[in-house]
Amino acid sequence: MYKASRFSPLVSVVRHTVITLPTPINISTWWNFGSLLGVCLVIQIFSGLILSLHFTAHTDLSFYVVIQSFGDVYYNWWFRAFHANGASFFFIGLYLHIARGLYYGSYVFKEVWSVGVVILLVVMASAFLGYVLPWGQMSFWGATVITSLFSALPVIGSDVVIWLWGGFSVDNATLTRFFGLHFVLPFMVAGLAGLHLFFLHDQGSSNPLGVSSDYNKVVFHHYYVLKDLVGVCFFLGPLLGLVYFNPWLLGDPENFIEGNPLVTPHHIQPEWYFLFAYAILRAVPNKLGGVVALAAAVLVLFYMPFSPKTSIKGLSFYPGGKSLFFSMIGVFFLLTWAGSKPVEEPYVVISQVLSFLYFAYFILIGPVTRVQDKLL
């Protein structure tokens, strides 16, 4: 292996990435989610490729092709269930990965953090496009509602919506281009993940203590390779359990009805991993204001590398900061719950209060930790 790495640039890169990479000795299980997300991405790309072989992007055929493939294509049900639930687990890993970064101050590595937020945005876009493809009721109306949000843009809004639809309504042209984009975006995510790793290995990993660990590192293999493999096993267990015993638990029953532009579902809502942002969108009475709030709910993460600096990275030694962080986690779950409820009282007011608290965290976390720095 050593001789090969001297003469082969590719083997050398792999060796320095997953074998001899110096890694802080004290990083915890919370650092496992990076590798788990890599596994998720591979699962999604592979299962998506299999599903695409038996899919027809046409409004008259898509719904029936998906249903027909269940019975006529060997193990198609398994790949679809794995793909659908894999998306949910992908977002669970993403949100935990971001939460770990916020808690331990990983956002101080600006390039790593910024590329990670871009990955989140592209994954969200890909997930939305994929949700439209089965052309069920919630797929059709979800596409109609979300794409219509662009009409709130001043001057160019209506033209942008028509361009997205490929016509004057969500129709065959929309489905065709959504399928093409959904096929391409995961490979873009893979490229961004490579860039994310490049910056990570260039700048080094953070650690739970938030102090420099340059003097106390170990090689990545075999210490963290084995640890990551254990994490993958714990991750695949619940995923396979969901696939085999209750594959449609996280889905919407409305999506088992073919999309019908003449029948609007009683309560239109996205998949659970978008509900927090959906609640923020609905909390603002003005359409343009809601779109701005929706975008800001994710784009606010770009602000974190520029927030006030603290003496110690992370919140481990800041009681006030920790209280704010775990309050924000509670707010996130409550927003997800509120997003699943109808647009009526008291859920509208609850969403407005929770949205205010969500954004307040990003405004207050810097000053609160700075005050504790001065007190100490």
Side-chain angles (χ1 to χ4, degrees):
M1 174 62 75
Y2 176 72
K3 289 183 178 179
S5 66
R6 291 183 61 186
F7 296 104
S8 171
L10 179 60
V11 174
S12 180
V13 168
V14 173
R15 185 170 184 269
H16 290 301
T17 300
V18 297
I19 297 178
T20 63
L21 177 71
T23 309
I25 199 171
N26 63 330
I27 61 176
S28 65
T29 306
W30 290 109
W31 272 256
N32 277 43
F33 287 100
S35 60
L36 288 178
L37 288 171
V39 172
C40 274
L41 181 59
V42 172
I43 288 173
Q44 292 304 97
I45 289 176
F46 178 72
S47 59
L49 285 172
I50 298 298
L51 293 174
S52 69
L53 299 176
H54 307 283
F55 180 77
T56 302
H58 195 284
T59 54
D60 294 332
L61 300 174
S62 295
F63 183 79
Y64 296 103
V65 166
V66 170
I67 299 300
Q68 179 262 347
S69 298
F70 268 40
D72 293 354
V73 179
Y74 197 58
Y75 273 103
N76 182 273
W77 68 268
W78 189 87
F79 281 107
R80 189 187 172 201
F82 211 72
H83 194 70
N85 290 294
S88 290
F89 275 71
F90 202 162
F91 275 95
I92 291 172
L94 273 172
Y95 291 150
L96 289 173
H97 196 54
I98 293 168
R100 189 268 297 169
L102 290 172
Y103 185 83
Y104 289 112
S106 301
Y107 49 79
V108 298
F109 304 118
K110 293 181 181 179
E111 292 85 358
V112 180
W113 182 262
S114 298
V115 174
V117 177
V118 173
I119 290 174
L120 173 65
L121 292 170
V122 177
V123 170
M124 283 181 154
S126 183
F128 165 68
L129 297 172
Y131 189 59
V132 176
L133 299 184
W135 208 246
Q137 271 287 74
M138 204 56 69
S139 297
F140 173 81
W141 285 102
T144 302
V145 170
I146 298 303
T147 53
S148 296
L149 295 177
F150 287 95
S151 64
L153 296 174
V155 184
I156 62 171
S158 299
D159 292 332
V160 171
V161 172
I162 291 173
W163 177 77
L164 285 172
W165 288 345
F168 296 100
S169 65
V170 174
D171 208 337
N172 197 55
T174 317
L175 182 61
T176 302
R177 60 188 57 186
F178 276 22
F179 175 58
L181 287 171
H182 183 66
F183 191 92
V184 171
L185 287 182
F187 296 100
M188 185 185 296
V189 172
L192 288 168
L195 187 62
H196 189 64
L197 284 174
F198 172 79
F199 285 126
L200 175 66
H201 294 166
D202 180 59
Q203 299 177 3
S205 297
S206 57
N207 61 83
L209 294 179
V211 297
S212 175
S213 58
D214 291 340
Y215 55 87
N216 196 11
K217 292 187 175 183
V218 295
V219 292
F220 192 81
H221 180 75
H222 55 88
Y223 297 101
Y224 290 111
V225 168
L226 294 177
K227 189 176 182 181
D228 284 346
L229 287 175
V230 172
V232 169
C233 292
F234 276 101
F235 167 81
L236 288 177
L239 175 56
L240 289 171
L242 201 59
V243 168
Y244 283 114
F245 296 105
N246 201 348
W248 314 122
L249 174 67
L250 302 176
D252 195 307
E254 288 279 359
N255 236 26
F256 287 92
I257 303 171
E258 185 183 8
N260 186 347
L262 302 179
V263 179
T264 307
H266 177 66
H267 177 42
I268 300 172
Q269 66 180 50
E271 288 283 72
W272 70 265
Y273 38 78
F274 291 143
L275 287 175
F276 83 98
Y278 190 56
I280 293 173
L281 167 70
R282 302 187 317 182
V284 182
N286 177 268
K287 187 174 183 180
L288 178 58
V291 172
V292 171
L294 171 67
V298 179
L299 296 179
V300 70
L301 294 172
F302 281 115
Y303 160 75
M304 291 308 295
F306 306 98
S307 59
K309 300 296 184 292
T310 55
S311 300
I312 304 173
K313 282 189 297 186
L315 303 175
S316 299
F317 300 101
Y318 295 97
K322 283 200 286 189
S323 299
L324 271 179
F325 174 81
F326 288 111
S327 298
M328 190 270 286
I329 296 299
V331 166
F332 179 88
F333 281 110
L334 289 173
L335 278 170
T336 300
W337 167 77
S340 67
K341 299 300 178 180
V343 188
E344 60 187 32
E345 300 299 343
Y347 304 116
V348 174
V349 174
I350 290 173
S351 297
Q352 290 171 343
V353 173
L354 292 172
S355 299
F356 173 79
L357 294 175
Y358 175 83
F359 288 110
Y361 168 81
F362 296 96
I363 297 171
L364 296 176
I365 189 64
V368 167
T369 51
R370 290 289 291 173
V371 167
Q372 290 179 82
D373 268 339
K374 291 180 180 179
L375 292 176
L376 295 175

